[in-house]
Amino acid sequence: MTDAMDALFLYAQERRIRPLLDTEPEFSQVVLCLERQDKSFRALLDEETETCFEKFLSEQALLDLFNERAAFRAGFQIALELER
């Protein structure tokens, strides 16, 4: 992404995405459910397994970021095409 697109992406993450998610009726319920499941799952793990799981989650978060950035770029490109 260009520097300008990076700045817009960060702005969207910091200021726009959460308000949009809050308009989804089930968003809060899904977050709470996920937090409960995470807590229950982690209670089953020993220290070594939890370390491995943390590494997995870190890689998953990076993959999610790549997907979010690609979706942002795609939306940006579509907006530019529609403007023509």
Side-chain angles (χ1 to χ4, degrees), residues 25-44:
E26 296 177 352
F27 176 71
S28 295
Q29 293 171 345
V30 170
V31 170
L32 290 173
C33 183
L34 186 58
E35 289 171 352
R36 283 192 305 267
Q37 289 177 354
D38 181 68
K39 187 176 180 179
S40 295
F41 180 72
R42 287 175 186 274
L44 301 172

Side-chain angles (χ1 to χ4, degrees), residues 60-71:
Q60 183 67 52
L62 183 57
L63 181 60
D64 290 345
L65 177 62
F66 289 145
N67 280 314
E68 290 170 7
R69 289 170 56 97

Side-chain angles (χ1 to χ4, degrees), residues 1-34:
M1 285 197 291
T2 66
D3 288 344
M5 287 181 76
D6 276 333
L8 289 171
F9 179 75
L10 289 174
Y11 174 80
Q13 279 189 314
E14 293 172 359
R15 303 280 163 89
R16 299 295 178 131
I17 291 177
R18 183 57 191 246
L20 290 171
L21 288 172
D22 287 339
T23 65
E24 295 290 333
E26 296 177 352
F27 176 71
S28 295
Q29 293 171 345
V30 170
V31 170
L32 290 173
C33 183
L34 186 58

